Amino acid sequence: MASEDKDDGETVEDLVTPIKVEETGPYFLRTLIDNVDLSADGNDLEVSITCVELLKGNLYIGTSRGELLHYVLVPLETAEADSRPSYILASRSQPPSGTTPSGAYHDVGIQQILLLPRASKACILCNGTLTFYSLPELSPAFAATQVKNCNWVGGIDLSFEKDTHDELIMISLKSRIRLIELGEKPRPVVIRNIEYASSLTTLRRGSFACVANEHSYALLDVEHQRKIPLFPISSLEGTSTGNLAGEAEGTRSNVAIRGHPNESSLRTGSPGAMGDLRAHGRSTSLGVLVGSFGRREQSPRPRSQDQHTQSPREVLPGELPSRPTTSQDGQHPGGDASHPANLSSDKPLPPPPANTQGQTETNSSQTAPTVSSTALRPHILSPTPDEFLLTTGTTNSEPGVGIFVNMDGDVCRSTINFERYPVDLVLDSEETDTNSHDQGSAAVSQAYVLAVVEESDHREGAIGIEIQRLDGEVEEIWGQKAWLPVAPAKGDLSEGQSIEGRVGVRKVLTACEISSKELRMALQLVRLDLPSHRSIGFQQTLADEKGVVAQEQQEKPPKDKIVQASNQEKALEHIDADLSESRDMPRLREEEQFARRFSMQRSQLIVWAGNEVWSIVRNPLALRLEAMLDMAITQSAGEDLVDRQKVIGLLDSIRGQEPRTETQFLSLGYIRQKASLLLFINMIASSSKGVSLSGDEERLTEESLLEGAIDPRVIMAMVPLLQQDIVEGQGGIWVHGGVRSYIQHHICSGDVLMRSQNGSEEPKEDLLHILRRYLSAWRRKKGFGSIADEKEVFESVDGGLLHVLLQLDGKNGHKGNGVRPELYSVVRTGVDCFDRAVVLLEQYRRLYVLSLLYHGRKMSRNVLATWKRILEGDASEGDEFVDGENVMRDYLAKIKDVGLVQEYGTWLARRQPSLGVLVFTDERSKVRLEPAKVIEILKSGAPDALREYLEHLVLNKNVSEYANELISCYLDSLLPVLQSSERARSILSQSYETYRALRPPRPTYREFITDNAVDERWWQDRIRLLQLLGGTQGAAVSRYDVPLALGRIEPFEKELVPEMIILDGKQARHQPALRLLIHGLGDYDSAINYCLLGGSGLFHPTFGSSTPSEVLPTPDDEHASTLFGYLLAEFLRIQDADEQVEQTGALLERFGRWYDIQQVLSEIPDSWSIELVSEFIINSLRRLLAERNETLVAKALSGADNLQINARLIDESEKIGPAIEGVMD
C-alpha cells in the first residue's frame, strides 16, 4: 500500500535523518482519508466509493449507496506541515436517484460529480438522475431541477477560456446529447441537442467532441453538425456485429453533412485497417485489431461566420429549458425533439447488441442495460489541443491499446499498450496548461498515462496503477512501464466484488498540496558532525562550559566520591551534544522552512479503493534519481560494491540539463553531489585495496566532484590525511540530509577508508594528484559570492592543498616533479589557513617554504628568523635555500625596518664579515645608517667585520677620518702575532733576504710580497696596512696620525721595514727612508720611484719600471733633484762593488739630467774607470753644449728683436715729428 507519514512529534534527529521513499517509480501515494465513513449506520461492508472530486479544500465523495459525502480540509499548523492533510466530514446528503443507473458501465449510486467553479454549481448524477447544486455547501440549485434517464454529464470545453461565469456542458440522454448552459440564469438553458444515442462519455476541444457509446468511438463537430465514426471499443464485438462503422453511421442523429456527398456515406475500413497504426516497434498481445474507423477527405473547421445567434425560451416545469440555434439563413439546423424537421436521419436506430447470456436488454429508463462479457468501458483523454487518446481491446482480461487520433480522425502517433484493458484512465502532464498550441509536444514531453488495471498472473493479480510515458520513451529506472499497487490480489476480494467497484482514479479540479517529507529530508541542509574535529572557537567555548559544569559538580557536597565522579563524567559526556543541539537548532529550523517550500507538491490525481482515498503524487526528481544511485550499489560480504558505469551514466544523463524550477535546481545539485561522493568513496576504497582506476575513470571522478560542487571539506573528511586540515567554524559543515546519511555511513561508523593493506593511512600518489587538482580548482573560486561559509571553506581548501603538495613533493624526493613550483605558487600567493600552514611546514621541515609563507604576509622578522634557522643548521628538507647569505643580504637591503637591519646585518657580519658589511654599505639599501652608528654596532656585535667596514670607508670612500681606526685594526691584528710568534718574524726576515738575493732585474718589493703571499690572516693585514700607509687610495687617506702609527710600529722596525720606510717618508726623513730601501730591502726600483714621486706612494699601483711620464717631475724640480742626490749617495755606499757600479751607472744613465756633471765627478770614487761613467759624461756634455747653443741662439734672437724694436721707434718718432716747447723766461 501507500507509504505513510508519521504523525508523531519530531525530535532533532527527526529533522536531520532522511526517510527513504518506498516507491521508486514515477509516482507514489499519499493518504488523504484512510477511513471514509461510507455508511451512516456503520455497515460499510457492501458500500464502496464510486467517484471523488476536489475543489479548494472541499472533498466530495460519492458512494454506491447513493450518498454524497462532503469533507472539508482542516488547515495544518506549521509544525505539522509534514503531516498528511486532515479532512473532516462536513455533511452527508443523498441526492435524488433513479431506481437503477442508466448506463451499462456506470457504478450504482453516485455515478458522477461534476464541479463547475466559474458557475459555482455542481452536477450530481445518481442512478441516472442528474441534479444541480450550489458550491461549496451543496445546496439545491435551479429550483431542484432534475434530468431523468441521464447516462453521463460533462463535455466541458478543455480549450475554452472566458471571463464570464457561464459554463457549457453536455449531458447524455437516452437518444441524444444535449448541450446546456449553466450560469447566473435561474435555470439551465438548452443550447442545442445532438442526436447521438446511448453515449457513455465524451471529451470536448472547442467545437470538436470525441464521444463513445457502448460499441465505438466517434468524432463530432458540435457546431457544424458533422460526425466521423472511428473504431470499435472491443475488437471482438466489432467482429461479431459486422460493419460497426456503418452501424455508427446509421445512428439517429441531427448531424447534417452539407456539401460533401462523399461524407454522407463514410467509408468502412477493412479488418486490417489497424495495421496502419504506427506501433514504434512495440509488441502487443491484442493480436490483430478487428474493426474499422472512417476517414474524411476534408474536415471542416469552425469559422467565425458559422456562429449562429441563440435565444433562450421559457422552460416548462420539470423540463430543461432549450435554446434553439438559428443559422444565418434563418433555418434551424438543430434543436430539441420538438423540431424533428431539422434532424437528418439515414436509417433507424439499430437494435441493441444481443446479450451473450441470452438475456434481453430493456429500454426502460429504470433498468440499466446489460452488456456482454466482451463489453469494454470506453476511455477518452486529450493529451494536446489537437488530439485524443482512445482505448480499445478485446476483453477486460486481455491487453489494451491506446490510439491517438487528431481532429481529422487520423492516427497521429504511435500507440501505447496496457497489460490489461484499463478499468480507469487518467492523464498527468508536468505542464499544467496543455491548451496552448504554441507549446506543442514540449508541453507533454513529461506526460504520463495512468491506468487502473489488474496485474497479470505473474504479479499475483493485484490491482494497481500502470504508469507509462505518453511519448513511449523508456525510463532508466523503471523501464517502459511502472507499477503502483493500490489494492490486494483477487483472492482478497469479497465475494461478488469486481475491480470496477473497488478502485478508481480521477484528475480533480484543484490540486492537493502535499508535503513530501522524504524530499525535504533529502534536500534540507543539516550539520555534518565530524567525530574527531571541532573548530577552535567551539572547542574553547566547549572547554569553558565544561569547566563550569565541572566546577558545579565540585561545589556540591560530596556524599560519595565515586558517585560524584560518575555524575561529573556523565555531565561532560552529554555537554557536547547539548551544546551542538542548542547552537544548531535555529539554523536547522531555518533550513527546514527553506526546504519545506520545495517539498510541497501539487497533485490533481486522486485514487480510491475500499474506504480509502489517496493522492497520487509525482515522485520528485531528486528521489527518482536517488533511486537510480541506490540501484548502482550492491552489498557483498558487508561491503558496498558500486557500479561506476551506472553512476557515470546517470551523471551523463543530467549533464547539461537546465533546471526549470528552483526545486529542480536543488534536486540536480543534490544528485550530482551524492553521485560524485559515491564515485570518490569508491575510488578511495579501490585505492586502499591496491586497485588502480583508469585515467578516464579518474578524470570522470574529478569532473563529477567539481560539477557536484559539494563542500570540499566533505571530500577532505573522507581522507584521514586531510581531516586535521578541516576548519568547521562554529557554524559547522552543512550538507544535504541525503548526503549526510551516506557520509556518516562511512565516517561516523569508524571506518578508515584510506587505510591501505599494510595499515598505513597515507594515500597513494595517483589519489593525491586527484586531490591536488580538485582542491586547486576550488581554490580558484575564491571571491565567488555564491559559496557559503567562504572563510572556513577556503581555509580548509588551502590547508588541504598545501598538505597534499607537501606529501607529493616529499614522495618524489624533492626532485623536479612539477609539484614544487605549484607549492611555491600556493605559498607565495597567500593561504587563508596561515596557522595551519605554519604547523604543516614545520611538520614537514620545509623551512624555506615557511619563509616564503612569511614573506607573503610581509612578516620580515619571521622570514629572517627562518633563514637564520636554516643557516645555523636546523633541519630543512629540500635543499632549497641556495646561497642563503647572499639571499639574506639582498633581502635586508629591501626592507625598511631599521631594527631588523641592525639585528640581522650584525648577525650576518658576524657570520660572514664581507657580506655583513655589504648590508650597511649597499647603495640600494632602503635603510642607510651613519658610519659612526655602524661602527658602534659592529664593535659590539661583529668585531671582525669592523675592519671590513672601515676599509670600505677609508679605502673605497676616501673617508680619512676613519684611517687611524683602520690602521689600529690592522696593527691590532698584526703586532700581537709578531710579538708572540717567532715564526711570523722569521717569515718576514726571510722574505727580505730572499728578495735581496734576487738578481736584477728584480720586481719591486710590493710585487714580490704580493706574488708570494702567505695564506695567513696577519700577512693579508700587513699588505692592506702597507697600502693604507703608503697612501695608495688618494691624498685624503694619507692624512692619518703618523706619529701614532710610528709609535706602535717602531718597536718592530726590523720586521716591518717597508712600514718604517713609508712613515719616514711621511715625516720627510728621506735619507733614512732611502737608506732602508737600498740597504734594508735592496729595492732599487722602489727607491728611484720614491725620488720621482717626491717621497710618497711607495706602494702606488703605478710602481714599477715603466712609470708613466705624466707622473714624473721635471729636472728643475729642486725637491726631486735633492732626492736623487740622496739616492746617488746611497748607491755609492752599496757594499757589493759590482752591484754598486751597475746600479750607479744605470742611475746616471737614466736620470743624468737631474745631476750636475761636476758634482758627480767629484763624488764617484777615483778608482773608477772613466768608461764606467762615459755615457753619463757624454750625455752631460751634449746637454751642456746644447744648452750653450740654445743660449747663443736665444741671445741672437733677442738682439734681432732689439733692433726691430729700435727701428719701429725711429719710424714712429719721424711720424710724430718734432715738438716745440715754449722757452721759459
Side-chain angles (χ1 to χ4, degrees):
M1 295 299 290
S3 60
E4 303 293 341
D5 293 332
K6 295 181 180 180
D7 295 331
D8 300 337
E10 283 185 338
T11 63
V12 175
E13 190 63 24
D14 292 331
L15 292 175
V16 298
T17 303
I19 301 174
K20 293 296 291 182
V21 64
E22 296 178 3
E23 296 84 356
T24 58
Y27 292 89
F28 58 88
L29 302 182
R30 280 291 179 267
T31 299
L32 292 182
I33 303 179
D34 58 358
N35 188 14
V36 178
D37 188 6
L38 296 178
S39 176
D41 56 8
N43 185 13
D44 297 345
L45 296 179
E46 297 180 357
V47 183
S48 63
I49 300 174
T50 58
C51 53
V52 177
E53 187 57 270
L54 178 65
L55 178 64
K56 297 180 179 179
N58 296 277
L59 181 64
Y60 304 97
I61 300 176
T63 69
S64 59
R65 184 171 287 184
E67 292 183 329
L68 182 61
L69 309 180
H70 178 196
Y71 282 84
V72 178
L73 177 65
V74 178
L76 296 176
E77 298 293 336
T78 304
E80 302 174 348
D82 282 333
S83 302
R84 72 185 186 197
S86 177
Y87 288 88
I88 61 173
L89 182 62
S91 65
R92 181 191 298 270
S93 60
Q94 194 163 7
S97 171
T99 306
T100 57
S102 59
Y105 303 96
H106 289 292
D107 300 319
V108 177
I110 303 295
Q111 297 168 271
Q112 276 187 276
I113 302 175
L114 178 64
L115 304 182
L116 307 173
R118 286 200 296 262
S120 298
K121 298 296 186 290
C123 303
I124 308 298
L125 180 62
C126 180
N127 289 330
T129 299
L130 178 64
T131 52
F132 303 93
Y133 296 88
S134 296
L135 293 176
E137 72 280 358
L138 295 181
S139 59
F142 303 130
T145 300
Q146 301 179 6
V147 180
K148 303 292 186 178
N149 300 324
C150 181
N151 291 332
W152 58 264
V153 60
I156 300 175
D157 187 0
L158 299 181
S159 301
F160 186 60
E161 294 183 2
K162 63 179 181 178
D163 297 332
T164 65
H165 298 289
D166 298 335
E167 290 275 11
L168 289 177
I169 64 172
M170 302 170 72
I171 60 175
S172 173
L173 303 178
K174 178 183 177 183
S175 61
R176 67 179 61 88
I177 298 174
R178 179 168 290 171
L179 183 66
I180 67 174
E181 182 181 76
L182 302 179
E184 298 178 352
K185 295 182 176 62
R187 290 181 180 275
V189 178
V190 177
I191 303 301
R192 70 172 60 90
N193 290 328
I194 303 171
E195 297 299 322
Y196 186 88
S198 303
S199 63
L200 299 178
T201 184
T202 187
L203 205 64
R204 185 160 62 99
R205 286 279 189 181
S207 62
F208 288 90
C210 186
V211 298
N213 55 22
E214 298 174 357
H215 308 288
S216 64
Y217 298 100
L219 193 62
L220 302 179
D221 187 340
V222 177
E223 293 186 4
H224 298 83
Q225 306 298 310
R226 291 166 185 164
K227 179 184 74 172
I228 303 176
L230 296 178
F231 47 84
I233 301 170
S234 172
S235 59
L236 295 181
E237 184 175 330
T239 303
S240 63
T241 59
N243 191 342
L244 189 58
E247 180 184 9
E249 182 181 334
T251 301
R252 178 175 174 83
S253 168
N254 67 342
V255 180
I257 310 298
R258 299 180 181 178
H260 297 281
N262 292 334
E263 295 182 8
S264 62
S265 58
L266 297 174
R267 293 172 295 178
T268 302
S270 64
M274 296 303 293
D276 294 335
L277 302 179
R278 293 165 292 170
H280 237 332
R282 302 182 186 183
S283 61
T284 175
S285 61
L286 183 61
V288 179
L289 294 174
V290 181
S292 63
F293 56 94
R295 304 191 182 197
R296 299 184 302 173
E297 295 181 1
Q298 294 181 354
S299 298
R301 295 286 182 174
R303 291 176 292 181
S304 60
Q305 60 265 31
D306 290 334
Q307 302 289 339
H308 28 264
T309 307
Q310 302 168 340
S311 60
R313 66 176 177 86
E314 293 296 327
V315 182
L316 298 177
E319 179 187 8
L320 279 175
S322 63
R323 186 171 63 185
T325 56
T326 304
S327 64
Q328 291 180 350
D329 57 2
Q331 296 181 352
H332 298 274
D336 57 9
S338 63
H339 300 83
N342 296 330
L343 301 179
S344 174
S345 175
D346 295 331
K347 53 185 177 180
L349 287 171
N355 191 293
T356 57
Q357 298 177 357
Q359 299 177 354
T360 60
E361 180 181 278
T362 177
N363 293 330
S364 172
S365 61
Q366 304 297 326
T367 305
T370 58
V371 188
S372 66
S373 61
T374 60
L376 302 177
R377 180 194 293 263
H379 299 293
I380 305 174
L381 299 177
S382 180
T384 68
D386 298 321
E387 60 184 356
F388 295 102
L389 171 62
L390 314 177
T391 59
T392 183
T394 54
T395 64
N396 286 312
S397 60
E398 293 296 327
V401 176
I403 301 174
F404 296 89
V405 296
N406 57 21
M407 296 302 178
D408 297 328
D410 299 328
V411 176
C412 57
R413 69 163 85 180
S414 58
T415 61
I416 60 175
N417 300 329
F418 305 98
E419 288 197 11
R420 297 285 180 91
Y421 188 84
V423 175
D424 214 345
L425 195 67
V426 72
L427 176 69
D428 182 37
S429 175
E430 183 173 312
E431 300 289 344
T432 57
D433 181 15
T434 60
N435 300 324
S436 173
H437 292 271
D438 296 336
Q439 291 177 353
S441 60
V444 292
S445 60
Q446 292 297 324
Y448 292 89
V449 178
L450 292 81
V452 176
V453 298
E454 179 184 356
E455 288 188 294
S456 58
D457 295 337
H458 69 278
R459 290 182 177 174
E460 302 178 354
I463 302 171
I465 299 176
E466 182 183 86
I467 305 166
Q468 57 185 308
R469 287 270 293 268
L470 183 66
D471 55 9
E473 295 294 331
V474 178
E475 292 284 354
E476 295 188 42
I477 298 180
W478 56 82
Q480 186 173 354
K481 296 181 181 180
W483 179 257
L484 184 60
V486 176
K490 284 183 177 180
D492 299 331
L493 297 178
S494 61
E495 184 177 356
Q497 189 178 14
S498 65
I499 182 173
E500 288 86 352
R502 197 167 66 92
V503 179
V505 65
R506 177 170 176 79
K507 187 170 186 178
V508 296
L509 290 177
T510 303
C512 301
E513 289 193 353
I514 299 175
S515 176
S516 173
K517 190 171 185 179
E518 297 86 352
L519 181 61
R520 178 178 66 79
M521 290 300 185
L523 297 183
Q524 178 182 343
L525 293 182
V526 294
R527 180 165 181 164
L528 175 64
D529 293 324
L530 301 180
S532 60
H533 189 79
R534 285 192 182 272
S535 66
I536 297 176
F538 189 82
Q539 285 179 343
Q540 184 62 41
T541 304
L542 186 63
D544 295 342
E545 298 193 26
K546 282 183 177 181
V548 172
V549 173
Q551 183 178 359
E552 291 177 354
Q553 293 290 340
Q554 292 175 0
E555 291 175 354
K556 292 181 180 179
K559 296 181 180 180
D560 183 63
K561 292 184 179 180
I562 298 177
V563 174
Q564 181 184 5
S566 176
N567 294 335
Q568 181 176 352
E569 182 178 355
K570 290 180 180 179
L572 295 177
E573 286 177 356
H574 293 289
I575 193 170
D576 287 0
D578 294 339
L579 287 176
S580 177
E581 179 176 340
S582 63
R583 292 175 183 275
D584 296 343
M585 188 57 69
R587 180 174 177 182
L588 196 62
R589 291 297 183 187
E590 292 177 3
E591 297 293 346
E592 178 191 2
Q593 294 300 323
F594 180 76
R596 195 182 300 280
R597 293 196 299 112
F598 307 111
S599 65
M600 295 301 296
Q601 296 179 274
R602 297 171 56 85
S603 174
Q604 291 181 261
L605 303 182
I606 288 182
V607 63
W608 61 87
N611 63 349
E612 294 186 74
V613 180
W614 298 275
S615 176
I616 306 177
V617 184
R618 183 168 290 199
N619 204 353
L621 176 65
L623 301 184
R624 297 204 312 267
L625 296 177
E626 189 174 30
M628 292 185 64
L629 288 179
D630 293 339
M631 292 169 59
I633 305 175
T634 57
Q635 288 283 335
S636 177
E639 183 178 356
D640 289 342
L641 300 180
V642 179
D643 188 340
R644 296 182 61 88
Q645 296 305 319
K646 287 185 178 180
V647 179
I648 293 173
L650 172 62
L651 290 174
D652 289 339
S653 67
I654 63 176
R655 181 172 289 114
Q657 180 174 343
E658 292 296 333
R660 296 190 297 273
T661 64
E662 195 170 359
T663 303
Q664 288 187 3
F665 175 79
L666 291 176
S667 300
L668 291 175
Y670 164 68
I671 292 301
R672 289 188 180 104
Q673 288 186 8
K674 190 167 184 180
S676 62
L677 186 64
L678 185 63
L679 290 175
F680 182 72
I681 292 177
N682 175 257
M683 182 179 64
I684 291 176
S686 300
S687 178
S688 64
K689 297 174 184 177
V691 179
S692 298
L693 301 180
S694 65
D696 289 339
E697 289 181 317
E698 291 181 356
R699 177 182 55 81
L700 290 173
T701 302
E702 290 181 45
E703 292 177 355
S704 67
L705 289 175
L706 294 175
E707 289 178 1
I710 191 172
D711 192 321
R713 295 175 291 178
V714 175
I715 302 301
M716 294 171 60
M718 300 288 118
V719 186
L721 178 70
L722 305 181
Q723 287 178 355
Q724 294 302 317
D725 301 316
I726 299 174
V727 179
E728 289 188 61
Q730 293 190 7
I733 302 174
W734 290 74
V735 297
H736 292 295
V739 174
R740 175 184 185 252
S741 61
Y742 190 70
I743 296 172
Q744 288 180 333
H745 172 68
H746 292 278
I747 296 182
C748 297
S749 60
D751 297 336
V752 180
L753 302 178
M754 291 289 296
R755 182 162 293 166
S756 59
Q757 296 176 349
N758 59 4
S760 173
E761 293 186 6
E762 292 188 1
K764 292 187 177 180
E765 186 172 351
D766 55 349
L767 189 55
L768 287 174
H769 280 293
I770 292 175
L771 291 170
R772 173 179 64 87
R773 292 189 290 269
Y774 170 71
L775 294 174
S776 296
W778 257 97
R779 194 169 188 266
R780 290 191 289 271
K781 296 181 181 181
K782 283 187 178 181
F784 289 13
S786 59
I787 298 175
D789 300 327
E790 183 178 9
K791 179 178 181 296
E792 291 78 10
V793 166
F794 287 113
E795 283 185 19
S796 303
V797 167
D798 285 349
L801 178 59
L802 182 60
H803 204 160
V804 169
L805 292 174
L806 290 172
Q807 188 75 12
L808 282 171
D809 198 36
K811 282 180 174 289
N812 291 274
H814 308 293
K815 296 180 180 179
N817 49 35
V819 175
R820 182 168 296 181
E822 185 175 355
L823 173 62
Y824 289 168
S825 176
V826 168
V827 174
R828 284 194 177 106
T829 55
V831 293
D832 294 344
C833 58
F834 179 77
D835 294 334
R836 177 60 182 167
V838 172
V839 172
L840 285 173
L841 294 173
E842 290 283 3
Q843 177 182 341
Y844 280 84
R845 296 184 296 183
R846 302 299 296 273
L847 297 185
Y848 177 70
V849 184
L850 178 61
S851 70
L852 297 180
L853 176 66
Y854 289 137
H855 178 68
R857 290 291 185 97
K858 300 186 182 302
M859 302 173 66
S860 302
R861 180 173 296 278
N862 298 75
V863 173
L864 294 169
T866 305
W867 286 347
K868 179 180 177 182
R869 289 174 55 191
I870 298 174
L871 294 175
E872 288 182 344
D874 277 14
S876 179
E877 301 291 339
D879 299 328
E880 300 158 292
F881 197 43
V882 180
D883 196 13
E885 288 87 354
N886 273 314
V887 173
M888 180 179 283
R889 192 261 300 177
D890 292 337
Y891 186 77
L892 288 171
K894 297 175 182 178
I895 63 177
K896 299 180 180 180
D897 193 320
V898 178
L900 289 180
V901 173
Q902 292 182 9
E903 179 181 352
Y904 287 95
T906 303
W907 176 85
L908 187 59
R910 187 165 55 248
R911 177 181 176 85
Q912 194 168 346
S914 58
L915 280 178
V917 168
L918 292 178
V919 174
F920 302 103
T921 60
D922 194 341
E923 297 291 341
R924 302 168 301 166
S925 179
K926 295 183 179 180
V927 176
R928 303 300 300 274
L929 300 177
E930 294 296 329
K933 179 67 174 178
V934 176
I935 291 173
E936 180 183 353
I937 293 172
L938 295 179
K939 277 184 179 180
S940 60
D944 293 338
L946 178 60
R947 180 179 54 195
E948 300 280 350
Y949 182 71
L950 291 174
E951 287 176 351
H952 168 75
L953 294 176
V954 176
L955 303 181
N956 297 338
K957 295 296 183 179
N958 289 330
V959 182
S960 59
E961 58 183 300
Y962 298 105
N964 291 326
E965 294 190 36
L966 181 57
I967 292 173
S968 297
C969 289
Y970 289 147
L971 293 178
D972 290 341
S973 175
L974 175 61
L975 297 183
V977 175
L978 295 178
Q979 186 175 5
S980 60
S981 175
E982 180 65 29
R983 176 176 172 276
R985 294 193 297 271
S986 174
I987 290 175
L988 288 176
S989 300
Q990 187 176 1
S991 68
Y992 301 147
E993 294 175 1
T994 303
Y995 181 75
R996 286 194 297 267
L998 295 177
R999 298 300 303 170
R1002 66 181 67 157
T1004 63
Y1005 184 73
R1006 181 186 66 83
E1007 296 172 346
F1008 174 75
I1009 60 176
T1010 302
D1011 295 339
N1012 299 275
V1014 178
D1015 190 14
E1016 292 189 24
R1017 178 67 178 273
W1018 63 271
W1019 184 273
Q1020 301 298 328
D1021 291 343
R1022 187 202 175 202
I1023 293 177
R1024 294 192 184 95
L1025 177 62
L1026 288 173
Q1027 294 175 353
L1028 180 59
L1029 294 176
T1032 59
Q1033 303 303 316
V1037 180
S1038 63
R1039 295 194 296 270
Y1040 54 84
D1041 192 343
V1042 175
L1044 178 62
L1046 182 61
R1048 298 192 61 184
I1049 293 174
E1050 198 169 14
F1052 301 92
E1053 59 180 351
K1054 294 182 179 180
E1055 290 80 10
L1056 302 176
V1057 176
E1059 289 80 354
M1060 293 300 298
I1061 294 173
I1062 294 172
L1063 294 177
D1064 286 340
K1066 292 292 182 180
Q1067 293 179 320
R1069 299 172 58 189
H1070 301 300
Q1071 285 183 299
L1074 290 172
R1075 186 178 303 112
L1076 288 175
L1077 273 172
I1078 296 173
H1079 304 292
L1081 289 179
D1083 188 356
Y1084 307 122
D1085 289 336
S1086 295
I1088 294 173
N1089 286 330
Y1090 182 89
C1091 296
L1092 291 173
L1093 297 176
S1096 63
L1098 178 62
F1099 285 86
H1100 196 278
T1102 58
F1103 275 13
S1105 57
S1106 58
T1107 303
S1109 58
E1110 60 269 14
V1111 301
L1112 297 178
T1114 61
D1116 297 332
D1117 189 342
E1118 296 181 359
H1119 182 63
S1121 299
T1122 302
L1123 294 178
F1124 274 105
Y1126 295 152
L1127 181 60
L1128 178 61
E1130 296 300 329
F1131 274 4
L1132 292 175
R1133 294 191 182 93
I1134 296 175
Q1135 299 298 324
D1136 188 337
D1138 294 337
E1139 189 169 349
Q1140 178 188 35
V1141 172
E1142 180 181 357
Q1143 294 300 327
T1144 303
L1147 176 64
L1148 294 175
E1149 182 179 350
R1150 292 174 58 195
F1151 302 101
R1153 53 183 176 174
W1154 272 278
Y1155 292 100
D1156 180 67
I1157 185 172
Q1158 184 176 0
Q1159 182 182 0
V1160 171
L1161 291 176
S1162 63
E1163 290 182 3
I1164 61 175
D1166 296 336
S1167 58
W1168 282 18
S1169 171
I1170 193 65
E1171 293 180 357
L1172 296 177
V1173 292
S1174 60
E1175 188 68 25
F1176 167 71
I1177 295 174
I1178 293 172
N1179 291 334
S1180 298
L1181 293 176
R1182 285 177 178 173
R1183 189 172 58 256
L1184 292 174
L1185 180 61
E1187 290 177 357
R1188 177 176 176 278
N1189 292 335
E1190 289 175 0
T1191 303
L1192 292 176
V1193 171
K1195 183 177 179 182
L1197 292 174
S1198 298
D1201 290 338
N1202 187 36
L1203 291 176
Q1204 290 178 357
I1205 293 172
N1206 290 329
R1208 285 198 300 271
L1209 178 62
I1210 294 172
D1211 292 339
E1212 292 296 329
S1213 298
E1214 289 178 355
K1215 290 179 181 181
I1216 296 173
I1220 299 175
E1221 298 179 359
V1223 179
M1224 297 181 62
D1225 295 335

